[in-house]
Each structure stands twice: as structure tokens, then as C-alpha cells.
Amino acid sequence: MSNEYSSKFSSYILALIATKRASGCTYETAEYYLHKFDTYCSFHAKSGTFSRDLIFGWAKVKDGEDPGTHKVRISPIRELGKYMQLLGVPDVFVLPSALHRKTERYVPHFFTSKEITGFFAACDNLKTHAGMYARHLVLPVFFRLLYCCGLRTCEARTLQTHNVDLQHGLIDIINSKGHRSRRIPISQDLLKLFRTYDKRVSKIYSNRIYFFPTTRSECYKGTSVSIVFRKIWKAANLEPGSGNKPRAYDFRHHFALSNLNMWIASGVDINSKLPYLTRYMGHSSLESTDYYLHLVPEFFQTFSEKVRITENVLPEVGYDKE
């Protein structure tokens, strides 16, 4: 763990992170905000008490902060308070769960053909980076995997070399969301790309742990993926577009929506295909995949025209079940 902790609550923060990691959680985003909170406490927790004023000072909504970000920022602090209470620490204030502002249903960014072409052209023009000698090789293939297979960004980031079968074109996703694992096949074109990529990266990082490394023993962090995605998007001279800003995670949504529209356009029975899409994407149930059916009409005229008759019978499913 590279972050240093210096507040009066640092031992509890480190213990909470260790506990979460031991239970199988990556806990990276929570760790990021816990480190920020630790720095905040170093300046504001003069009494050494996990007080109401201290915690509400942290939980105050920042200018321009959207509800989703606010919820992600304060949730680990509520969890820390509950953890400290369980340990018997006196005078610990726990944020009420009702403090989270209501979040609106998130509509992902759907990439246009121009955006896809421009983004990957910029990816392919990346140069070597100080201290990250394979960056120009890793990122073009990493983002193509997200685009072609709809993996969660954390699944692609933490993919280890022994979980990629370059002979048969199979990827094993181990202990992903909900501690579920799955095996997915990849196309021959992607397999060919993987084989070439692996040979080139192996010359830089022999015996590396991760398929997409930053060093021989490390991979990209979640926040780093967001940063490099925005830099590549900017380098491609692409506009933010309307609606929500594009994110690396939107490649996953793009994958699901594109497949649904392709099946509709070709006259395939969606009900017969949804179980396969559910399994491939690692959803816990068909309901988790169903909500994409409500999004496709927003992006595809073909789908909208063909399902207009049945649109009233499609079940409403929220994004929190994905």
C-alpha cells in the first residue's frame, strides 16, 4: 500500500482496508476516499474524536458535486464509523444512511462510429511513458478488450497472465462482482491481437503477473484508467457530447446495447439470447441484463421501431442491480 496515513484514525482506517481485502474486496475506490479523509482529519480532528461536526464537515456537498460522487465519497466514512463502533471505540459518530442524496437513473454514453474510430486511432499513437515502458502497448489492447467483450474495467485491469488462454482464446474472470467467476471466449481477431501483444510486452516485462501491467508486478488502478481514458479522448480531439460524459466503463454498456440492437435488426428472438449475454457479462440474473432493453430505443431507431408495440410490458429494472 503506497498511501501514507497520519491522522489519529489511521490505525482504524488501515485495519478496515485490510479486513475488506481479506474478504476478497478490491476496495480501491473506498481506499482512495479513506486516504483523502485521513488527510482531512489530520487538519480538522484536533480533539481526536470521531465527532458529528468532523464527519458532517467531510460529508458536506461540494460545489458541482453530483449525487453519485457524493455517495461514493461518504459511504466509506460511514462504514469506518460503524467499524470503529464494533471495536468499542467511544464517542464515534456514524453518518445516517439517509444522508445520501437521491441519484437519478444513469444513462451511459453511447459511442458513435466517429468516436470509436478517433479514440482507438489516438490509442495507437501513444508513446512510451517514463517508468511505464509498455504503456503504448498495453492501453490500445486493454481498451479494445473492454470494447469487444464488455468486461468491467476492474476485470480487465486485474486480469492475470495465467487466466488468459492464448492457445484456445479463452479468458477466465476470477472472483468478480459478487465473488462470481466465469470463462468467456474471444474472437479470432482479438486472439491474434492478444498473441502479438503478449510477445511484445513479455520482452519488456518477463514473467509479469498481470496481462495489462504497469510494472512487472503491478497493474493499473481504477482511478488511473479514468485518467488515461480522458487523456486519450482529449488527444483524439473528441467533444464530450450530450448527456453524461464518456467513461471507460461505457464500453461495457456499448457492448450490451450493440448486441441487443444487432439481434433485433437480424430478427433474432431476444429472449433466447439474453441468458447468454447475462452469462457472458457476469450479471447475477436476467433482470440485471433486462434494463438494457430500456436503453436501446434511446440510441437505435431499428430497435425502437420493432419494440414499440411491446414497450409497455418490459420490466423496469434499476442500475443498482447491474
Side-chain angles (χ1 to χ4, degrees):
M1 188 178 300
S2 58
N3 289 331
E4 294 184 359
Y5 295 81
S6 57
S7 76
K8 298 179 184 294
F9 312 115
S10 59
S11 60
Y12 301 113
I13 294 174
L14 290 169
L16 173 61
I17 293 171
T19 300
K20 288 292 184 179
R21 295 270 164 78
S23 67
C25 300
T26 55
Y27 216 56
E28 288 182 357
T29 301
E31 181 187 7
Y32 171 80
Y33 284 112
L34 285 169
H35 184 256
K36 293 283 188 183
F37 177 72
D38 180 80
T39 302
Y40 164 83
C41 290
S42 296
F43 291 96
H44 297 90
K46 303 301 182 182
S47 66
T49 304
F50 209 80
S51 66
R52 185 182 188 279
D53 288 344
L54 176 74
I55 305 308
F56 268 108
W58 169 265
K60 182 180 179 181
V61 179
K62 299 179 180 179
D63 291 340
E65 185 176 38
D66 65 77
T69 302
H70 180 251
K71 180 177 180 180
V72 171
R73 181 170 64 84
I74 68 175
S75 290
I77 313 310
R78 181 173 186 270
E79 196 165 26
L80 176 62
K82 293 170 65 178
Y83 178 73
M84 291 170 67
Q85 276 191 344
L86 286 174
L87 294 178
V89 180
D91 301 323
V92 171
F93 175 78
V94 177
L95 275 172
S97 58
L99 190 65
H100 295 156
R101 293 186 293 161
K102 183 178 180 181
T103 56
E104 296 181 0
R105 183 179 181 183
Y106 181 82
V107 177
H109 179 91
F110 185 81
F111 300 101
T112 65
S113 297
K114 177 183 177 182
E115 289 171 342
I116 292 293
T117 301
F119 181 86
F120 284 110
C123 265
D124 294 337
N125 284 323
L126 288 172
K127 308 300 181 184
T128 55
H129 191 274
M132 300 174 69
Y133 308 110
R135 174 178 177 267
H136 62 298
L137 303 175
V138 169
L139 293 178
V141 181
F142 171 82
F143 285 118
R144 279 180 170 87
L145 175 60
L146 298 183
Y147 171 70
C148 293
C149 298
L151 267 62
R152 299 179 176 95
T153 51
C154 61
E155 294 172 344
R157 286 191 302 103
T158 59
L159 189 63
Q160 299 193 12
T161 54
H162 65 270
N163 293 134
V164 181
D165 185 344
L166 293 175
Q167 180 179 356
H168 301 100
L170 299 170
I171 295 177
D172 289 326
I173 308 297
I174 307 299
N175 289 328
S176 186
K177 187 174 182 178
H179 301 291
R180 292 184 297 273
S181 300
R182 68 189 189 278
R183 170 172 287 184
I184 64 170
I186 60 176
S187 68
Q188 287 300 307
D189 286 344
L190 192 58
L191 176 58
K192 182 179 179 180
L193 177 65
F194 269 26
R195 288 170 176 168
T196 301
Y197 159 82
D198 185 65
K199 289 178 181 178
R200 296 180 69 186
V201 174
S202 294
K203 291 179 180 179
I204 300 173
Y205 297 124
S206 59
N207 300 317
R208 72 190 191 277
I209 295 176
Y210 295 99
F211 196 70
F212 299 112
T214 53
T215 66
R216 185 172 284 105
S217 60
E218 297 179 331
C219 65
Y220 278 92
K221 303 297 183 184
T223 50
S224 300
V225 169
S226 298
I227 291 171
V228 295
F229 175 86
R230 289 194 295 268
K231 286 183 177 179
I232 293 170
W233 189 269
K234 183 177 181 181
N237 294 317
L238 296 170
E239 298 294 329
S242 59
N244 289 306
K245 294 180 180 179
R247 314 162 303 164
Y249 200 91
D250 287 328
F251 282 125
R252 177 171 170 83
H253 300 308
H254 185 102
F255 173 82
L257 293 168
S258 295
N259 275 284
L260 288 170
N261 186 66
M262 178 181 65
W263 293 334
I264 281 291
S266 60
V268 172
D269 178 12
I270 284 186
N271 290 325
S272 68
K273 290 289 188 179
L274 275 181
Y276 295 100
L277 186 61
T278 295
R279 176 61 180 167
Y280 196 93
M281 297 186 70
H283 289 158
S284 59
S285 66
L286 281 172
E287 284 188 345
S288 298
T289 314
D290 277 344
Y291 77 77
Y292 284 112
L293 292 172
H294 295 280
L295 295 178
V296 182
E298 298 182 34
F299 301 107
F300 296 105
Q301 186 63 28
T302 299
F303 187 98
S304 182
E305 291 173 354
K306 292 195 175 186
V307 301
R308 188 172 292 121
I309 263 180
T310 60
E311 63 184 2
N312 291 328
V313 300
L314 294 177
E316 286 285 349
V317 179
Y319 273 82
D320 57 328
K321 293 187 178 182
E322 197 276 331

